[in-house]
Structure formats: C-alpha cells, structure tokens
C-alpha cells in the first residue's frame, strides 16, 4: 500500500490535511488487520521510504510484497517491555526523486510523528531521508548503498568522530566490492585492464576515490575517462578510449537507463567483442535490467547484496530465503530479485532495534538501541558495535552472473552465485563464464 502523502497532488476535493488524515487511517486499518487499540500512545509508527516508480523502480518493485509479509507478522501488535503496541508502517514512494525523498521524510516526521524511519536503496533515496532525520532528531536506519557514499557523502570526515547521532546504515562498502571483484576477476584470465564508467554522483565519486586505488594496487590497470553526468546519451568518447586501451574488463555503477544506452552503443561500435568480464553494479541487479538488453545482457556479471541462496531467516516473519523468493514469484508472477531480502533485512533490523530499546516511544532510546544493535537478519549479521566507523555496519556483496535458464524453467534467466569471498556461508553455484569467448 503506497500513499501519496507529501506530494503536491492529492485526491480532488480533499484538502491536504484531510488527505493526510485519510491516508493515516487507511494505513492504521491495514497495519492492525481491523483491530482497534485504545490510545494513540500505544501505536508505533514506522516510516518506510523507497523508490517504487521512476528510473530506480527496480529497487522498489518487491517492496509491496515484503511490506505485506511484515504487516501480517505485526497484525497482532508488538509486545515490548510488558506493553502491547499496535504498529503502523507508513510506506512512501520517492518516484526516484531525491527532492521528493526529503519532502516525504519531513512529512512523515512532522505530520505523522513517526517513531522510526527506514530508508532503502541508493543515495538518491537514502541520503536526503537520513539528512532530514538527523536534523529533526528522529532515529533512521537504512541499507542498499555503499556505506562510504552514505557516511562521507553526507559530510563525515576520515579520521574524525562521526557527526551523526540519529542515523545508521548497514550493508556493503568499498571493502566488500574490492574483495568480491578481486575474487571474481581472478576466475578468468584477462590482461587486467579495467575500463571504468563512474558517474558524477555519490556512488560514483565514492567508488572512484576508494575502490579504484585498491584495484590498482592488486595489479589491475584502471582506464578512467572521467566522471560522466547521469542522463548522458552519447558515450562514443569513452568507448573509443576503452577500445584504444584494449580493456578486457568493464566496470560501472550507473543507473539502469544509462548503462543500457552505453552497452548498446558499445555493441554497435565494437567494444564488447574484446570484453571478457562485464561487471556492473547499481544496474544489472534485477531480471528486468538484463531482459531489457536482450542477447547483450547474457553473461553480464553482477553482485548480490542478497540472494535466495543466503542461509538466513527473517526474525520478523520467520521466512527463509527460498520461501521469500518462491512466495514472491507465486504472488506476483514475476521472478524473484535480490531486493526482496534486502528490504526484509531492513524491517528485521529496525524492529529488532525497537524491541531492544528501553522505550520504543523515546527517540533517543531507539537511537541508542540502533548504536548497540547486534543481530542476524535476512542478509546475515548486522552489528553496529564493531563497524569500520560509528553508525555503520558493513555487509556482504556476493559475485554473481546472469545466464540462460535451463530448459523448462519458469523464467528465461538464472542468477547464479559465482564467488563468496565476503560471506563463505553462501554456497557457490556455478563457474564464472567469460562474456566473450
């Protein structure tokens, strides 16, 4: 259930205040499964902000299913410290717009008085939401973006104390990408020349500053034509440089439309004939990204922040990875995606923090519980007591590849695990195949 609270457009005939009241009432009814609780003070309100539409919609495609599971698990309320609370999860769609993400966060904070904010997927969603929470003194938990882009991209300085009191982030960082890429790229013999396309955004700048130097120290030659702007339509100059330098590995962190435009041009201009490994992140994560490329998408290498092969269960809903993936496919008719487990893990960790807090209605107590949180979620361990910096818990990213599914399969693609350097508990399923050759 997605409300349009915080947007300019509301239902004709309703004032903004009436619309907000109506939406909140609807959210309450869904969250409680029709049960009524006596006092407003007995209700916990949790905001959930993600991109359900727009260029980043792949990251939000499965959120409706995950939220349904969470709401069902919480329908009977939550017992905390001898008191029973009803739970409202107020989910919002940023439409892939950072400005809207910030506006929605402020609306959830100021007009709906949420107790905890959850934000998921990409700096375009998470950073403006986290900034709004930090300014307002509202605890916020997020996942699915490199933690460096979250931490340093929001003003923290290397070696200095964390400037954040209210906001926390878990999941992969540059260190995990480095381990995964070294493990993955050494599975195939190449000339170790890597053509990189890093955009001029929080992700791209963090990767250029931190990952590229690490790869170079491992003997990979980084061929970098410089930052490009999101929405670029002509990549001829970059393609010409990559061809001239003879790169055999390609790596990028673009939004899906930009990669699709680049890869089609790379095919037209003959670059992909020399590519042995095409390793992409932020795109190529979901079946729709690959299917849109047709034959050009086959054997693209990816990386998974969650896979149905992960051997962990959701503490909130009790479902396993296989159950989550199979349930989504049965309910939607669409192929499972790695976002399922990531969004579930955010709900897992958020509600574990509420349970661990001395007072779930006290924002400072919830923030303190986040700072001390040590639990296991759908993606595995979340531990804020031993992170590389305060407010951060690093997490795995697993080497994967898109291949043709076996005959008779429900969907045309299979997403296989090819390496597991950042979490050896995840089973390797297949050998990495060269993109060409």
């Amino acid at each position: 259930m997605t409300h349009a609270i915080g947007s300019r457009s509301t239902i004709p005939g309703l004032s903004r205040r009436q619309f907000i009241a109506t939406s909140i009432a609807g959210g309450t009814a869904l969250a409680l499964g029709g049960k009524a609780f006596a006092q407003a003070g007995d209700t916990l309100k949790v905001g959930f902000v993600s991109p359900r539409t727009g260029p980043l919609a792949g990251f939000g495609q499965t959120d409706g299913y995950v939220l349904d599971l969470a709401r069902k698990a919480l329908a009977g309320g939550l017992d905390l410290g001898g008191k029973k609370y009803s739970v409202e999860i107020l989910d919002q769609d940023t439409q892939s717009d950072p400005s809207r993400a910030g506006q929605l966060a402020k609306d959830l904070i100021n007009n709906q008085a949420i107790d905890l904010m959850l934000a998921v997927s990409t700096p375009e969603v998470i950073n403006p939401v986290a900034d709004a929470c930090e300014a307002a003194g509202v605890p916020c938990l997020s996942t699915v973006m490199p933690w460096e882009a979250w931490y340093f991209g929001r003003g923290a300085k290397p070696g200095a104390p964390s400037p954040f009191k209210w906001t926390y982030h878990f999941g992969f960082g540059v260190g995990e990408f480095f381990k995964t890429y070294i493990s993955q790229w050494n599975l195939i013999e190449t000339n170790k020349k890597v053509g990189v396309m890093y955009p001029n955004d929080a992700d791209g700048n963090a990767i250029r500053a931190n990952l590229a130097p690490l790869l170079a120290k491992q003997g990979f030659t980084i061929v970098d034509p410089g930052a490009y702007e999101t929405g670029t339509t002509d990549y001829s100059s970059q393609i010409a440089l990559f061809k001239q330098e003879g790169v055999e590995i390609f790596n990028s962190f673009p939004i899906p439309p930009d990669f699709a435009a680049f890869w089609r041009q790379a095919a037209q201009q003959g670059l992909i004939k020399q590519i042995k490994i095409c390793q992409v992140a932020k795109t190529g994560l979901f079946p729709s990204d690959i299917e849109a490329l047709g034959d050009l998408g086959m054997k693209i290498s990816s990386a998974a922040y969650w896979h149905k092969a992960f051997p962990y269960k959701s503490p909130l809903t009790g479902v396993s990875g296989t159950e989550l993936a199979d349930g989504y496919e049965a309910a939607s008719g669409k192929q499972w995606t790695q976002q399922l487990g990531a969004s579930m893990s955010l709900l897992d960790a958020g509600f574990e923090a509420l349970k661990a807090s001395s007072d779930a209605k006290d924002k400072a107590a919830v923030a303190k519980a986040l700072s001390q949180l040590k639990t296991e979620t759908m993606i595995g361990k979340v531990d804020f007591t031993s992170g590389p910096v305060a407010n951060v818990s690093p997490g795995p990213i697993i080497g994967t590849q898109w291949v043709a599914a076996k005959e008779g399969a429900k969907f045309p693609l299979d997403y296989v695990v090819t390496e597991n350097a950042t979490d050896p508990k995840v089973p390797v399923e297949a050998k990495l195949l060269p993109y060409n050759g």
Side-chain angles (χ1 to χ4, degrees):
M1 178 176 180
T2 305
H3 314 304
I5 303 166
S7 68
R8 293 286 180 187
S9 60
T10 57
I11 299 170
L14 287 183
S15 70
R16 175 183 170 79
R17 181 171 295 176
Q18 289 170 326
F19 179 72
I20 289 171
T22 302
S23 299
I24 291 174
T28 305
L30 178 60
L32 304 184
K35 296 180 181 179
F37 285 71
Q39 300 175 12
D42 293 340
T43 299
L44 289 173
K45 295 185 179 182
V46 177
F48 185 96
V49 183
S50 67
R52 304 278 282 271
T53 56
L56 300 171
F59 287 95
Q61 175 184 303
T62 62
D63 282 346
Y65 179 76
V66 170
L67 287 165
D68 282 348
L69 291 182
R71 287 179 172 127
K72 287 173 184 174
L74 295 162
L78 199 60
D79 289 309
L80 300 176
K83 185 175 181 179
K84 190 159 195 169
Y85 294 89
S86 65
V87 179
E88 292 181 39
I89 302 176
L90 303 172
D91 59 295
Q92 301 289 336
D93 172 20
T94 70
Q95 299 174 6
S96 304
D97 181 345
S99 297
R100 178 177 167 81
Q103 291 165 3
L104 290 172
K106 291 172 185 175
D107 193 82
L108 286 165
I109 292 165
N110 297 324
N111 295 323
Q112 300 185 41
I114 59 167
D115 300 294
L116 172 66
M117 182 79 81
L118 303 176
V120 65
S121 301
T122 79
E124 291 83 0
V125 175
I126 293 171
N127 283 0
V129 172
D131 286 344
C133 290
E134 193 67 40
V138 172
C140 176
L141 183 64
S142 56
T143 191
V144 187
M145 66 175 282
W147 70 256
E148 291 90 349
W150 178 89
Y151 189 75
F152 300 118
R154 295 175 53 232
K157 303 297 182 186
S162 171
F164 309 126
K165 178 181 177 183
W166 300 96
T167 51
Y168 294 82
H169 182 82
F170 69 91
F172 55 86
V174 166
E176 285 72 41
F177 272 111
F178 171 65
K179 291 176 186 175
T180 297
Y181 284 0
I182 292 298
S183 174
Q184 180 101 313
W185 297 353
N186 283 330
L187 294 173
I188 291 176
E189 188 173 339
T190 69
N191 62 7
K192 292 197 169 186
K193 287 189 174 183
V194 186
V196 302
M197 288 265 293
Y198 298 150
N200 183 25
D201 63 14
D203 275 341
N205 295 331
I207 293 299
R208 174 177 283 102
N210 298 284
L211 178 61
L214 292 174
L215 294 170
K217 287 181 181 178
Q218 289 293 315
F220 290 91
T221 300
I222 306 300
V223 180
D224 186 354
Y228 71 93
E229 297 302 322
T230 295
T232 294
T233 57
D234 184 358
Y235 298 93
S236 298
S237 62
Q238 292 97 330
I239 291 168
L241 177 63
F242 295 153
K243 288 175 68 178
Q244 177 185 325
E245 294 294 325
V247 303
E248 292 183 349
I249 302 173
F250 174 74
N251 180 224
S252 188
F253 284 70
I255 64 171
D258 288 358
F259 175 71
F262 169 81
W263 204 234
R264 290 191 182 103
Q265 291 174 34
Q268 291 164 0
Q269 297 173 36
L271 171 62
I272 66 172
K273 293 177 182 177
Q274 70 193 49
I275 299 297
K276 294 184 178 180
I277 299 174
C278 174
Q279 184 88 51
V280 293
K282 197 171 179 176
T283 191
L285 299 172
F286 313 122
S288 57
D289 297 343
I290 302 301
E291 288 171 359
L293 293 168
D295 291 343
L296 295 177
M298 208 59 70
K299 294 191 284 190
I300 281 179
S301 298
S302 176
Y305 39 82
W306 180 78
H307 191 284
K308 66 177 182 178
F310 275 39
Y312 309 108
K313 283 191 173 185
S314 160
L316 177 62
T317 64
V319 299
S320 68
T322 301
E323 289 168 342
L324 183 63
D326 290 350
Y328 174 75
E329 290 185 348
S332 70
K334 298 178 180 178
Q335 190 168 3
W336 72 274
T337 85
Q338 61 180 290
Q339 190 62 38
L340 282 164
S343 293
M344 183 63 79
S345 73
L346 181 61
L347 290 157
D348 287 338
F351 280 95
E352 287 300 304
L354 288 172
K355 291 176 185 177
S357 66
S358 58
D359 181 354
K361 295 294 291 183
D362 183 311
K363 292 180 174 60
V366 175
K368 183 178 180 181
L370 284 170
S371 74
Q372 299 172 346
L373 187 64
K374 190 173 183 180
T375 189
E376 187 172 279
T377 71
M378 201 86 197
I379 66 151
K381 182 180 68 172
V382 174
D383 180 6
F384 284 103
T385 67
S386 59
V389 293
N391 303 77
V392 165
S393 170
I397 194 92
I398 300 293
T400 50
Q401 187 174 39
W402 293 100
V403 297
K406 295 176 181 176
E407 190 173 345
K410 284 192 295 183
F411 302 99
L413 294 167
D414 199 3
Y415 192 48
V416 296
V417 174
T418 51
E419 73 78 49
N420 62 358
T422 61
D423 188 348
K425 292 180 181 178
V426 178
V428 172
E429 301 173 312
K431 182 179 179 181
L432 183 70
L433 302 173
Y435 185 82
N436 276 302

